[in-house]
C-alpha cells in the first residue's frame, strides 16, 4: 500500500493536519501536500478511469505531465472538472471526485470496453457504425459521447473573478529550478530587468530531489545553493520573482502569456482567482526542465506503475511512499536514485530491472552496495494486477517476452529516459534536433523562434536545452543568462558559472518497447497514451494502414490528444511509428506544439470582461432618465437607444403606436444625441465633401442644411445624414448612430492617405452635444414658450439652422425633419443635456409632450418614404436602387463610388428598385419576405423578384405599409405581388409610391 | 501579436492599439478608368508569401495612418514609415535586400 | 478494396488487426494525367472523387505538398450548415449538406456526420430582421430552416444564458439538419475512395512550376519531377495566391490567419451547434467532449499558422457571456490556419486566364461545410467548362460588380 | 438655469487605489501646423504654456497642453473659460489653416491615485507603466480594455485619465474592478 512516511517531506508541514474529501470520503493531509500526494498518503492509488476503455487509472507522475489523476473539484459556482491532482495544492475542505465512470470508481460498467478492447482498435469507428444511416445520430453517437468526455460539465455561473496584467521586461525566465535561477542571476547581473516565473509553489525544481544529498554547487549542497541564489535574486531591485505562475504560450514579436494561479490554493482569499499576464520580453529564457518517459511494457498502465522520478518526488517532497515493495524498471542510471532513496527510507526494493546488458555506473554500485538486486539485460514481460500492481514477470529485453522470473510488488517505478520540455521553444517556430546519445529531441540553437527584428528571441537553458548533468546545467544556464542580456542590449558581467559536481552516469540505452521483440499479445497491452488508451499496436496499425505522417497517426489513434497533450506519450509513440515505417526518428519528426503548455482557465482568458464590464455600453446624457421612464432598450452598436418608452401595464407595441399618434397629433421628443456630428474645416472642405458625398456640398450656403449620401469606393450606400454649412470654411456633417466613428475614420483615411495635400481638418464632436428632436405640430409653440430665439418659419425656414438660446440654454437649432412633421433638432452641451430635456418635458406638458423611441422614428420615416441605412440598405444597395438619383450630382466628375456605379451589374436595368408596398387586406407584410416570380432557376430555387426592406403597421393610416426592392418596381405601379411567408400563408401586396403620408410635405414646411 | 512602431508618435504600439488597412501604395482609379484598372485597384492584391508593404492606422493612439514593410511568412518587420508617400523609403528597401536577397514586390526588388 | 464494416473489424480482431491493408496507395507519379488536382485537402479530393464518379474521368492525380488533409480540412471547427441568404451560396452549401447526409455510405468510411442542428443566435433587432429574411429566402431556396424564439433556443441549448445583461437572446435561425462531421475522416474517406478508383494521391509532392504552351496548361513541375496534364485544378486555399503566381495570373484574395481552440473534454452538455455572430463566437461539443470554439480572423496578411491572441480572448469573452458555465473550463489547445479571403467573402470556383487551369479558392472561414458540394460542382466545371453550382462564383464577378455578399444578414461565413 | 454636470457627477471608489470622477474639465482640441509660430503664441496666450514635445504634456496650476498627434493638441483649461479661450484662438489663428473646438462635454476625466495606481492601470492598458518607462510629463493615448483612453501622471502616485463621455461609466467600472481588494500585483 501507499502510506505517509515518518521521514522526508521537505514541502509539507507535519505540525498541521487538514481535511479533504475524495468521492465523499474524508481524508487527511498536510499543508504543502498536493492532492495527489495526499491521496497516496491515504492509500488512494486508483484515481480515475481512462477515456476509451474505462481502465482503472492510478497516479503516474508528480507534475504537469500527469495523464490520469484528473478530478472534479469544488461545488456549484466553484465546481471545476479535470483538475490535475498532481498540480493541485491541498487546502482545508477541498472536495474532489473521480471522473469518467458509472456507477462508481471501483465498479464501472464502462469497463466492458476494456474486455472488448480487441474489437475497438485505433480508428475502429471510421470502419463501423455506418449502417443503418440514421443510427449514427440516434444510437451510436449518443453512446460514444456519453462514454467519452471525462469530467462533469459545470452548471453554475462562475463565482470567481479574473484579471489581466500587461508586463514589459528585458528578460523573462520561465522555470525556477537551478537552471532558471542561475540564468536569471547571470542575466540580472548585467542590470537588465528580469522577470522569473515558476509554475509550482517552490523554487529549486528537480535538483531539490535528485541532487541534494549527492551533489554540490560552489562546494555547497544544492538546497543551500538554491536558498542562497533565491535570496540574492530577491534582493535585486531589477528582478521580479513569481511562484505559481506558468509560462503558457510564446507568440510572435516576443509576446508571452503567463498564467498566475493566485487563489486556487486559498479559495476563500480576496481578489482574482487567476491572472493572465501578457508579457512583452526582449528575450525569453525557457528553463523548463525535462519530463521522464515511461517504458512500453505490457500492463504499464496498471495502478501502481509510476515514473521513477515521481516515486522519488513523493518520498522526498511529501514523505509519501507509493508502495511498500517497489520494482524498478529502467534503461538509464536515473532510476537507481529512486531505488536508493526508497531503500534508505526503509522501503523494500526487491529488484532493479535494467534493460542495459552492462548496466549503469556509480549509482548502480551504490544500489548494489545497499543490497538491492540488479538484473541486467532484462525487461518487464508483464505487470500483473488490475486495480493495483501485484507482481511483475521478468524476461530478457532481447527476447519476445518468455517469462524467466516473477517478483511480487505493489509498485513499479519506470524510467525510459528524459525528454526536454521544448513546448515553449516550439510554439513560435523554434526547431528541434534529435540527440542520439540521450535519445531525445532538444532545441536547435541555430533555428530559434524569430521576432520582429528577425533575430531569435527565445533560448533554452539547462536540461530544457539538453544539458543533462548538474555541472552542465549550471554552466549552460549561466551562458544563456549572459547571452540573453547581451541580446537585450546589456553588458553581462564577466563571470564564470559556479562550479558544480556531475554524476558519472553510464550511457542510456534507447528502449522503445519492452521486451524488444514483444509478441502481439504483449504489445496490445503496452500503453503509450494512458488517458486516451493508445497502445503500441494502435500506432503500428496506423502505420500499416498508410497513416505515415506523424500528424495522421496522431489524429487516427488520438495519441497525444488527451488533456496532457502527449507529454508522456509523444516521443514513445513516434519512436514506435518510426520503427514501423523503418525510418530514423528525426525523419518522422514531431507533431506541432501548440499553446498552452498546460490548460488555462477560460475565465483567465476573458479577464475582467464579464458582467457589467463585459463590453462597454455607450450612454447619452439622458440615459438614466430614459431608464427611469420605461425605456425598452435597443443596442445600436455599443449605444443603447430607447426602442420605446413603455408605460406601466402597456405593451411595447401599444407604446410605439401611442408615440407615433402623439407625435403626429401634438408633440414628441427624441433623444438624437447618438447621431454622429463631425466638423470638417478648411479651405478644401467643400471640395473634400464633394468627393465624399454623392451630391454637391460645396454649393451649400452658410446657414443652410442639405441631406447627403455617402458611398464606399465599391459603390454601395454606406451612410447618410444632414450636412450643415457653418461658415465658408466649416461644415458640420451628421452621420447615422452607427456611423460616427466609422465615417470619421473614413474621412481621416482619405485625407491622410490619398489627398494629404488638401487643407482639411476633421473633428468628431458627436459626444460634445446632447441633441434633442422636438417634433410635431406643436413643436414651435413649445420653443416659443421657452423663448430665447426666433424660430418662426421666416427666421428659421425648413432646412435652415441657427445658433441661439432656448429656455436659457445655449444651443444650435436645425430645422430638419425625419418624420414629416414640423421638427427642430436642438443641440446643447452634453453637460446641459438632462437639464434641457427636463425643461422641454416640463414646458411641454401643457402640449401633451411625450418622449418617443427608435421604433416610432422608424414608422414615421417609413410613412414618409424616407430610407433607413441598415433597413433599405444592406451593403449591396446603391443609391440608384433607392430612387435617390436626385441626390446624385450629375455635374461632378468624381466622388467615392462613382466609378464603381458604372460597372455593368450596377447599371443593369434588372436591378431591384425601391417601391412602396400595400397589402391588399391591410395586414402587415412579414419582415424580410421575398416576392416570387414564375418558375425556378438552374439550381431548382424559386425565382425571386423582390423583397421587403421595411414593414410596419402605420397607426396614422391604420394599415400595414412597407417598403421594398422590386425588379423594375417603379415601372410596375399597381401590380400585385405574392410574398410567401414562412407561416405557410402567401401575402399579396400592391406596388405603390413609397411616400404614404403627406406627399406634398405640407406638414413639415409650416 | 505584432508590435509596430508608429513613425509619427514614436510609440511602439501593441497590435490591439492598431487597425490594419491592407496593401499599401495602391493607385486610385476613378471615373474614366477601364474596368480592368478599376477592378485591379479595388480587388487585386499581391498577397505575397514573403515581403509585403501594408497600411496600418494607429487607431487608439495618434490616429495616423502609416506603412509597414513586413514579411508575411515570418512576421519580421523591416520598417515603418508615414503614409504620405507613393513608395517605400530607400533605406528600408536596402535593409530588405540585405536580409532577403532576390525579394520582389510588384515592380520593387 | 476491402469493405469496412463491424463484421470486418470483428474478423480482424481475432488476428490482432494484422490483416488491414493501406487505406490509400502511395504511388509514384505517372508521366501524364487527364487532370491534375493540386491540393489533397477536402476540396481537392472531393473534386477528384466526383470527376471519377460523375464523369468517369479517373486518370487523375491529386498532388499534395505535405500530408493529405493537413491544411484547413484538419484545422476547422467542422460546422456544416446551408442557411445562407444569397441564392448561389444557398445552392452550393445545401447541395453540400445533402451530400454529407450520405457521405459515410457513399465512401464506406464513417465521417460521423452528425445532423445535431445549428442555431444562429439573433441578439439585436438587426439580426432578428436579418435571420427572418434568411428564413424567407431559405424556404424558397429549398433549404429547411426556421426562425425560432428565445424559449425554443433555451430548450435546445439548456446551458445558454438567454437574458444576458448585454445581448439578450431575441431568437435564432435554426437548421435542424445542420451539424458537424469528423474533419480528418472526410479527407481520409475521399482519399481512400479516389485511390480505389485508380487515382494517384501523391503526398510530399510540391508543385514548383506550372508549364504552359500558347496560353494553355500542359503540365506541372514538382519535387517529384515533371508531370503532364490536359487540365489542372488549383485547390489550395491559403496558398492559392502562390500557385496562381506560378500559373502567371493574380487573384483577388488575401491570406490571413484564422484561429480556433478546444476546451478539455467534459460530459455532454450541448447537443447543437451555436453561433453568436454579434459577439463573434461559435461553439459546439465534439464527440470526445471538447467544446470546440471558433475565433476571429486577423486583419493582416499572414502565412504563419499562428494568429494573434486577442482574437481568442475576444471569442472566449463573448462565449462566457453567452454560456457562463464555460468560465471554469480550461483551454486545452489553440491553433491557426491560413484562410483565403475574397473581396465579397464568397468563394471563387472558376476558369482562369490560363486555358485548362481552374481555380477553387476563397472559402475564407467557411470551407469545410462546402467540401462535397464544392467538389461536385468543381468536377462539372472542369469536365464541362460550366456548372450551375459554380457559375455565379466566377472570377469576373468582381469586374462586373456582381457580388455574393453574405454579411448582409449578419450571417458571417463560419 | 441648472448647472452643467459631468457624466458621473463626482463618483468615487476606494480599493487598492482610489478612483475619482474629476467633474467638468475645460478641453479644447486644437488642430493645425504645430510648427507655426502663430499657433505656438496662440497656445501661449490661452494657457501660458509652450508646446509639449511629441508624446508629452506640459502643465501649470491652471491648465495643461497635451500632444495628441502631429497636428493636434489638447488644451486643458478651466471649464468656465473655454468659450473665451476659443474666441481668442479663433481670432489669433484666423489666418492659419487650423481647427479649434470645444470638447469639454464630450469627455470624462478621472483620477487614479495611490501607491498601487501604476499596477491597477497596467491591468487595463498595453503600456509599460513601470517607473522610468512612464513618468510625469508623458501623455499616452491608448486602448483601455475595450475603449480609447488617454492618461498622464500628475505625480508618482496619481494618474489623470480621459475617455469619451458615453463610456465614462464603463471606464469607472473597469478601474473599480482593477482596484478591487486583494488584487495587488506588486510588480513595480
Amino acid at each position: 500500500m501507499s502510506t505517509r512516511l515518518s521521514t522526508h517531506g521537505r514541502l509539507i508541514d507535519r505540525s498541521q493536519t487538514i481535511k479533504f474529501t475524495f468521492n465523499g470520503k474524508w481524508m487527511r493531509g498536510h499543508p504543502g501536500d498536493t492532492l495527489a500526494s495526499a491521496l497516496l498518503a491515504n492509500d488512494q492509488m486508483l484515481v480515475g478511469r481512462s477515456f476509451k476503455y474505462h481502465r482503472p487509472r492510478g497516479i503516474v507522475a508528480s507534475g504537469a505531465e500527469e495523464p490520469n489523476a484528473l478530478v472534479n473539484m469544488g461545488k456549484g459556482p466553484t465546481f471545476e472538472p479535470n483538475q490535475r491532482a498532481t498540480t493541485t495544492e491541498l487546502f482545508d475542505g477541498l472536495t474532489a471526485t473521480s471522473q469518467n465512470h458509472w456507477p462508481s470508481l471501483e465498479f464501472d460498467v464502462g469497463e466492458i470496453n476494456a474486455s472488448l478492447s480487441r474489437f475497438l482498435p485505433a480508428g475502429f469507428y471510421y470502419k463501423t457504425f455506418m449502417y443503418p444511416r440514421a443510427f449514427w445520430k440516434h444510437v451510436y453517437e449518443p453512446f460514444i459521447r456519453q462514454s467519452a468526455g471525462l469530467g462533469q460539465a459545470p452548471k453554475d455561473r462562475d463565482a470567481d473573478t479574473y484579471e489581466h496584467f500587461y508586463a514589459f521586461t528585458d528578460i523573462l525566465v520561465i522555470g525556477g529550478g537551478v537552471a532558471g535561477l542561475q540564468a536569471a542571476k547571470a542575466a540580472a547581473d548585467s542590470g537588465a530587468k528580469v522577470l522569473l516565473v515558476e509554475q509550482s509553489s517552490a523554487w529549486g525544481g528537480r535538483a531539490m530531489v535528485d541532487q541534494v544529498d549527492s551533489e554540490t554547487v560552489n562546494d555547497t549542497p544544492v538546497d543551500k545553493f538554491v536558498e542562497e541564489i533565491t535570496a540574492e535574486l530577491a534582493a535585486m531591485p531589477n528582478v521580479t520573482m513569481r511562484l505559481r505562475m506558468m509560462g503558457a504560450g510564446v507568440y510572435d514579436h516576443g509576446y508571452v502569456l503567463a498564467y498566475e494561479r493566485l487563489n486556487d490554493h486559498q479559495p476563500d482569499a480576496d481578489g482574482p482567482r487567476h491572472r493572465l499576464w501578457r508579457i512583452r520580453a526582449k528575450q525569453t529564457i525557457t528553463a523548463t526542465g525535462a519530463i521522464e518517459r515511461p517504458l512500453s511494457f505490457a500492463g504499464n498502465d496498471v495502478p501502481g506503475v509510476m515514473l521513477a522520478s515521481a516515486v522519488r518526488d513523493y518520498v522526498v517532497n511529501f514523505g509519501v511512499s507509493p508502495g511498500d515493495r517497489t520494482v524498478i524498471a529502467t534503461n538509464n542510471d536515473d532510476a537507481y536514485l529512486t531505488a536508493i532513496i526508497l531503500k534508505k527510507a526503509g522501503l523494500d526494493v526487491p529488484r532493479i530491472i535494467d534493460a542495459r546488458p552492462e548496466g549503469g555506473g556509480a549509482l548502480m554500485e551504490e544500489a548494489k552496495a545497499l543490497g538491492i538486486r540488479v538484473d541486467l539485460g532484462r525487461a518487464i514481460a508483464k505487470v500483473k494486477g488490475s486495480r493495483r500492481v501485484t507482481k511483475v514477470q521478468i524476461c530478457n529485453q532481447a527476447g519476445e517476452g518468455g517469462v524467466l522470473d516473477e517478483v511480487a510488488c505493489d509498485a513499479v517505478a519506470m524510467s525510459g529516459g528524459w525528454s526536454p520540455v521544448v513546448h515553449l521553444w516550439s510554439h513560435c517556430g523554434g526547431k528541434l534536433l534529435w540527440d542520439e546519445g540521450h535519445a531525445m529531441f532538444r532545441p536547435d540553437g541555430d533555428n530559434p523562434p524569430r521576432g520582429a527584428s528577425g533575430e531569435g528571441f527565445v533560448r533554452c537553458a539547462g536540461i530544457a536545452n539538453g544539458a543533462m548533468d548538474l555541472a552542465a546545467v549550471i554552466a549552460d544556464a549561466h551562458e544563456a543568462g549572459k547571452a540573453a542580456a547581451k541580446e537585450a542590449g546589456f553588458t553581462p558581467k564577466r563571470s564564470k558559472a559556479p562550479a558544480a559536481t556531475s554524476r558519472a552516469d553510464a550511457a542510456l540505452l534507447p528502449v522503445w518497447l519492452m521486451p524488444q521483440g514483444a509478441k502481439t499479445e504483449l504489445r496490445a497491452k503496452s500503453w503509450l497514451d494512458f488517458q486516451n488508451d493508445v497502445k503500441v499496436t494502435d500506432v503500428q496499425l496506423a502505420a500499416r494502414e498508410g497513416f505515415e505522417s506523424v500528424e495522421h497517426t496522431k489524429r487516427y489513434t488520438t495519441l497525444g490528444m488527451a488533456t496532457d497533450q502527449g507529454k508522456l506519450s509523444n516521443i514513445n509513440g513516434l519512436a514506435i511509428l518510426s520503427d514501423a515505417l523503418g525510418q530514423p526518428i528525426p525523419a518522422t519528426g514531431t507533431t506541432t506544439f501548440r499553446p498552452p503548455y498546460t490548460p488555462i482557465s477560460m475565465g483567465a482568458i476573458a479577464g475582467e470582461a464579464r458582467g457589467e464590464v463585459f463590453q462597454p455600453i455607450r450612454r447619452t446624457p439622458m440615459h438614466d432618465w430614459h431608464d427611469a421612464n420605461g425605456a425598452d432598450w435597443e443596442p445600436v452598436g455599443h449605444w443603447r437607444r430607447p426602442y420605446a418608452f413603455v408605460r406601466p401595464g402597456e405593451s411595447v407595441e401599444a407604446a410605439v403606436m401611442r408615440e407615433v399618434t402623439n407625435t403626429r397629433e401634438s408633440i414628441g421628443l427624441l433623444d438624437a444625441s447618438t447621431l454622429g456630428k463631425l466638423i470638417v474645416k478648411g479651405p478644401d472642405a467643400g471640395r473634400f465633401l464633394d468627393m465624399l458625398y454623392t451630391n454637391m456640398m460645396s454649393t451649400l450656403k452658410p446657414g443652410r442644411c442639405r441631406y447627403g449620401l455617402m458611398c464606399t469606393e465599391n459603390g454601395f450606400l454606406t451612410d447618410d445624414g444632414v450636412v450643415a454649412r457653418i461658415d465658408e470654411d466649416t461644415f458640420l456633417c451628421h452621420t447615422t448612430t452607427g456611423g460616427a466613428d466609422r465615417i470619421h475614420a473614413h474621412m481621416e483615411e482619405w485625407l491622410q492617405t490619398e489627398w494629404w495635400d488638401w487643407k482639411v481638418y476633421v473633428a468628431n464632436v458627436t459626444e460634445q452635444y446632447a441633441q434633442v428632436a422636438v417634433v410635431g405640430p406643436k413643436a414651435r409653440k413649445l420653443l416659443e414658450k421657452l423663448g430665447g430665439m426666433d424660430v418662426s418659419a421666416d427666421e428659421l425656414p425648413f432646412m435652415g439652422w441657427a445658433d441661439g438660446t432656448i429656455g436659457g440654454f445655449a444651443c444650435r437649432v436645425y430645422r430638419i425633419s425625419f418624420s414629416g412633421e414640423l421638427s427642430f433638432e436642438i443641440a446643447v452641451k452634453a453637460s446641459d443635456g438632462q437639464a434641457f430635456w427636463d425643461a422641454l418635458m416640463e414646458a411641454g406638458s401643457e402640449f401633451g409632450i411625450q418622449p418617443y423611441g427608435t421604433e416610432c422614428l422608424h414608422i414615421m420615416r417609413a410613412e414618409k418614404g424616407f430610407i433607413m441605412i441598415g433597413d433599405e440598405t444592406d451593403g449591396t444597395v446603391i443609391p440608384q436602387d433607392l430612387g435617390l438619383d436626385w441626390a446624385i450630382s450629375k455635374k461632378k466628375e468624381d466622388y467615392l463610388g462613382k466609378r464603381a456605379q458604372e460597372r455593368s451589374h450596377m447599371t443593369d436595368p434588372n436591378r431591384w428598385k425601391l417601391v412602396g408596398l400595400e397589402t391588399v387586406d391591410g395586414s402587415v407584410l412579414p419582415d424580410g419576405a421575398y416576392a416570387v416570380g414564375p418558375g425556378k432557376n438552374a439550381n431548382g430555387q424559386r425565382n425571386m423578384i423582390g423583397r421587403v426592406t421595411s414593414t410596419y403597421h402605420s397607426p396614422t393610416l391604420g394599415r400595414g405599409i412597407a417598403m421594398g426592392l422590386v425588379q423594375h418596381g417603379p415601372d410596375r405601379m399597381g401590380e400585385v405581388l405574392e410574398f410567401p411567408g414562412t407561416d405557410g400563408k402567401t401575402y399579396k401586396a400592391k406596388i405603390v409610391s413609397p411616400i404614404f403620408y403627406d406627399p406634398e410635405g405640407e406638414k413639415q414646411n409650416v | 501579436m505584432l508590435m509596430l512602431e508608429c513613425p509619427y508618435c514614436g510609440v511602439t504600439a501593441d497590435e490591439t492599439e492598431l487597425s490594419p488597412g491592407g496593401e499599401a501604395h495602391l493607385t486610385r482609379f476613378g471615373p474614366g478608368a477601364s474596368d480592368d484598372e478599376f477592378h485591379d485597384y479595388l480587388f487585386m492584391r499581391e498577397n505575397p508569401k514573403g515581403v509585403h508593404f501594408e497600411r496600418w492606422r494607429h487607431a487608439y493612439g495618434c490616429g495616423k495612418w502609416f506603412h509597414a514593410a513586413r514579411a508575411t511568412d515570418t512576421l519580421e518587420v523591416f520598417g515603418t514609415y508615414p503614409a504620405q508617400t507613393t513608395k517605400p523609403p530607400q533605406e528600408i528597401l536596402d535593409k530588405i535586400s540585405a536580409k532577403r536577397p532576390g525579394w520582389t514586390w510588384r515592380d520593387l526588388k | 478494396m476491402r469493405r469496412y464494416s463491424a463484421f470486418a473489424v470483428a474478423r480482424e480482431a481475432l488476428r490482432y488487426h494484422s490483416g488491414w491493408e493501406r487505406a490509400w496507395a502511395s504511388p509514384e507519379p505517372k508521366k501524364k494525367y487527364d487532370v491534375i488536382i493540386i491540393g489533397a485537402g477536402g476540396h481537392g479530393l472531393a473534386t477528384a472523387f466526383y470527376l471519377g464518379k460523375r464523369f468517369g474521368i479517373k486518370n487523375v492525380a491529386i498532388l499534395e505538398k505535405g500530408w493529405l488533409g493537413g491544411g484547413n480540412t484538419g484545422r476547422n471547427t467542422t460546422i456544416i450548415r446551408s442557411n445562407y441568404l444569397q441564392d448561389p451560396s444557398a445552392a452550393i452549401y445545401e447541395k453540400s449538406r445533402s451530400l454529407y447526409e450520405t457521405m459515410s455510405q457513399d465512401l464506406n468510411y464513417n465521417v460521423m456526420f452528425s445532423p445535431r442542428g445549428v442555431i444562429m443566435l439573433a441578439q439585436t433587432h438587426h439580426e432578428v430582421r436579418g435571420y427572418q429574411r434568411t428564413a424567407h429566402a431559405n424556404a424558397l431556396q429549398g433549404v429547411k430552416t426556421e426562425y425560432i424564439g428565445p424559449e425554443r433556443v433555451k430548450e435546445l441549448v439548456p446551458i445558454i444564458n438567454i437574458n444576458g445583461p448585454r445581448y439578450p437572446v431575441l431568437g435564432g435561425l435554426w437548421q435542424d439538419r445542420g451539424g458537424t462531421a469528423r474533419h480528418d475522416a472526410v479527407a481520409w474517406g475521399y482519399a481512400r475512395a479516389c485511390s480505389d478508383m485508380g487515382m494517384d494521391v501523391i503526398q510530399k509532392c510540391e508543385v514548383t512550376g506550372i508549364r504552359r504552351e500558347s496560353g494553355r496548361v500542359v503540365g506541372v513541375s514538382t519535387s517529384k519531377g515533371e508531370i503532364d496534364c490536359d487540365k489542372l485544378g488549383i485547390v489550395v486555399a491559403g496558398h492559392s495566391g502562390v500557385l496562381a503566381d506560378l500559373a502567371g495570373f493574380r487573384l483577388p484574395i488575401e491570406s490571413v490567419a484564422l484561429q480556433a481552440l478546444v476546451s478539455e473534454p467534459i460530459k455532454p452538455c450541448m447537443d447543437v451547434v451555436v453561433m453568436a455572430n454579434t459577439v463573434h463566437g461559435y461553439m459546439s461539443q465534439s464527440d470526445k467532449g471538447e467544446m470546440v470554439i471558433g475565433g476571429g480572423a486577423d486583419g493582416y496578411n499572414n502565412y504563419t499558422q499562428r494568429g494573434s491572441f486577442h482574437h481568442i480572448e475576444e471569442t472566449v469573452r463573448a462565449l462566457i457571456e453567452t454560456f457562463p458555465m464555460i468560465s471554469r473550463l480550461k483551454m486545452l489547445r489553440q491553433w491557426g490556419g491560413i484562410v483565403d479571403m475574397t473581396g465579397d467573402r464568397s468563394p471563387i470556383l472558376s476558369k482562369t486566364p490560363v486555358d485548362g487551369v481552374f481555380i477553387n479558392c476563397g472559402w475564407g472561414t467557411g470551407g469545410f461545410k462546402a467540401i462535397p458540394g464544392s467538389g461536385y460542382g468543381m468536377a462539372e466545371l472542369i469536365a464541362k467548362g460550366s456548372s450551375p453550382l459554380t457559375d455565379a462564383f466566377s472570377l469576373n464577378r468582381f469586374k462586373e460588380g456582381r457580388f455574393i455578399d453574405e454579411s448582409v444578414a449578419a450571417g458571417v461565413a463560419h | 438655469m441648472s448647472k452643467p454636470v459631468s457624466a458621473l457627477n463626482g463618483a468615487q471608489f476606494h480599493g487598492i487605489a482610489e478612483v475619482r470622477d474629476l467633474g467638468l474639465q475645460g478641453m479644447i482640441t486644437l488642430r493645425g501646423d504645430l510648427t507655426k509660430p502663430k499657433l505656438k503664441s496662440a497656445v501661449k496666450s490661452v494657457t501660458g504654456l509652450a508646446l509639449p514635445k511629441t508624446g508629452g504634456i506640459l502643465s501649470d496650476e491652471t491648465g495643461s497642453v497635451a500632444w495628441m498627434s502631429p497636428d493636434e493638441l489638447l488644451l486643458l483649461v478651466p471649464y468656465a473659460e473655454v468659450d473665451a479661450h476659443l474666441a481668442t484662438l479663433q481670432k489669433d489663428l484666423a489666418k492659419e489653416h487650423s481647427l479649434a473646438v470645444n470638447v469639454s462635454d464630450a469627455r470624462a476625466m478621472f483620477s487614479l491615485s495611490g501607491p498601487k495606481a501604476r499596477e491597477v492601470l497596467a491591468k487595463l492598458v498595453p503600456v509599460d507603466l513601470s517607473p522610468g518607462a512612464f513618468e510625469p510629463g508623458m501623455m499616452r493615448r491608448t486602448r483601455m480594455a475595450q475603449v480609447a483612453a488617454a492618461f498622464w501622471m500628475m505625480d508618482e502616485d496619481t494618474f489623470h485619465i480621459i475617455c469619451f463621455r458615453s463610456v465614462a461609466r464603463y471606464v469607472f467600472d473597469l478601474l473599480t474592478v482593477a482596484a478591487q481588494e486583494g488584487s495587488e500585483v506588486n510588480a513595480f
Side-chain angles (χ1 to χ4, degrees), chain A residues 10 183 298 361 385 528 581 602 608 732 835 903 973:
Chain A
R10 65 178 192 97
L528 292 167
L581 299 173
M602 299 283 186
E608 83 291 335
L732 186 140
R903 292 172 298 187
M973 286 295 156

Side-chain angles (χ1 to χ4, degrees), chain A residues 100 141 148 160 251 278 544, chain C residues 17 267 287 313 328 334:
Chain A
N100 202 36
E141 187 180 36
D160 284 303
Y251 301 80
R278 295 90 154 276
R544 191 178 318 124
Chain C
H17 304 275
K267 290 297 177 188
D287 287 342
E313 199 176 300
R328 292 188 87 90
Q334 67 168 100

Side-chain angles (χ1 to χ4, degrees), chain C residues 354-414:
Chain C
V354 181
D355 284 351
V357 176
F358 301 82
I359 183 115
N360 176 348
C361 66
W363 290 97
T365 60
F368 177 74
K369 66 178 72 65
I371 284 171
S374 151
Y376 190 93
M378 197 65 196
E380 184 171 24
L381 177 63
I382 291 173
K384 296 162 61 180
S386 161
S387 162
L389 276 182
T390 64
D391 290 346
F393 294 100
S394 64
L395 267 167
N396 59 12
R397 74 176 186 270
F398 297 98
K399 203 165 292 180
E400 300 163 1
R402 182 173 45 77
F403 303 104
I404 305 171
D405 187 343
E406 284 296 331
S407 65
V408 306
V412 291
H414 292 297

Side-chain angles (χ1 to χ4, degrees), chain D residues 28 30 34 43 49-53 55-59 64-69 72-76 138-140 150 152 162:
Chain D
I28 295 169
L30 175 61
L34 304 191
V43 171
L49 294 162
L51 259 56
K53 58 178 175 22
I57 179 169
L58 296 175
S59 307
S64 308
V65 182
W67 188 96
M68 300 295 273
S69 120
E72 181 178 343
L73 298 172
L74 182 67
L75 314 185
L76 293 128
M138 298 169 74
M139 176 79 175
R140 179 65 189 254
W152 64 97
I162 52 176

